[in-house]
């Protein structure tokens, strides 16, 4: 086989990896030595909290209380990111999340954010699945129902495109 065949085969393998990227990303987030997953809880006082992998959190910053209801975009590096207000006007922090590419990064406005190191077994499915935008599934965490959001669907909503 020639070098071109090797690159073609590697490209086909890369396509297979990309097609199952969500599964591989989830598996790679689990520490190989500890079996734990680092997650960040996006706190929404008075509403559903979100639980996301900490590896997609790029920045957590405080918001000025006078500007919360005016935040539609957040500057991050060389991009102006669209913002989604999880709290509907009572946010205290902005959490910048990685996207499928830099142009699909987003800022989530939340009351607060906390990071945990947990085992997957600590996140059983919630008894009831709540109705709310951008829900992938709901899990039970520390006796509470927390939403695992569909970040790609949210990015599609914010940017009007598909990944």
């Amino acid at each position: 086989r020639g070098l071109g065949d090797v690159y073609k085969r590697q490209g086909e393998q890369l396509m297979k990896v990309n097609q199952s990227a969500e599964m591989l990303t989830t598996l790679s987030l689990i520490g190989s030595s500890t079996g734990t997953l680092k997650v960040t809880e996006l706190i929404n006082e008075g509403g559903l909290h979100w639980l996301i992998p900490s590896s997609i959190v790029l920045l957590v910053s405080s918001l000025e209380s006078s500007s919360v209801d005016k935040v539609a975009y957040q500057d991050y590096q060389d991009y102006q990111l669209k913002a989604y207000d999880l709290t509907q006007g009572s946010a205290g922090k902005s959490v910048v999340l990685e996207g499928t590419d830099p142009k699909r990064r987003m800022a989530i406005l939340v009351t607060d954010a906390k990071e945990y190191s947990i085992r997957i077994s600590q996140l059983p499915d919630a008894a009831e699945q709540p109705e709310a935008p951008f829900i992938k599934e709901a899990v039970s965490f520390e006796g509470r129902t927390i939403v695992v959001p569909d970040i790609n669907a949210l990015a599609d909503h914010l940017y009007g495109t598909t990944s």
Side-chain angles (χ1 to χ4, degrees):
R1 293 186 168 174
L3 189 56
D5 290 334
V6 171
Y7 284 125
K8 182 179 178 188
R9 190 177 49 212
Q10 288 176 343
E12 289 170 356
Q13 290 171 345
L14 182 59
M15 281 178 33
K16 288 178 184 176
V17 168
N18 287 339
Q19 289 171 350
S20 61
E22 187 172 328
M23 180 189 71
L24 292 174
T25 299
T26 301
L27 293 176
S28 70
L29 296 174
I30 301 170
S32 58
S33 62
T34 62
T36 60
L37 175 67
K38 288 195 182 232
V39 295
T40 299
E41 179 181 7
L42 303 181
I43 298 169
N44 172 15
E45 289 301 322
L48 290 170
H49 298 215
W50 285 8
L51 197 66
I52 59 170
S54 294
S55 63
I56 67 169
V57 174
L58 301 175
L59 174 72
V60 177
S61 60
S62 295
L63 295 172
E64 294 179 25
S65 60
S66 62
S67 67
V68 170
D69 60 346
K70 300 173 192 160
V71 177
Y73 295 92
Q74 178 169 335
D75 292 325
Y76 179 75
Q77 295 180 345
D78 294 334
Y79 298 96
Q80 191 174 53
L81 310 178
K82 291 198 176 181
Y84 179 76
D85 189 354
L86 188 61
T87 68
Q88 304 302 312
S90 62
K93 293 189 177 179
S94 171
V95 180
V96 174
L97 302 182
E98 182 62 89
T100 53
D101 69 58
K103 294 177 183 175
R104 288 176 56 89
R105 290 176 178 157
M106 67 196 82
I108 309 295
L109 308 183
V110 299
T111 307
D112 201 0
K114 292 183 183 176
E115 186 175 59
Y116 301 92
S117 184
I118 62 170
R119 294 190 180 279
I120 294 262
S121 60
Q122 291 177 265
L123 296 175
D125 289 343
E128 293 184 25
Q129 296 291 312
E131 293 290 324
F134 313 114
I135 289 181
K136 190 170 237 176
E137 69 179 297
V139 295
S140 181
F141 180 61
E142 297 185 341
R144 301 174 285 132
T145 297
I146 298 183
V147 170
V148 176
D150 186 336
I151 298 298
N152 287 328
L154 177 57
D156 292 345
H157 169 76
L158 291 173
Y159 291 102
T161 60
T162 56
S163 52

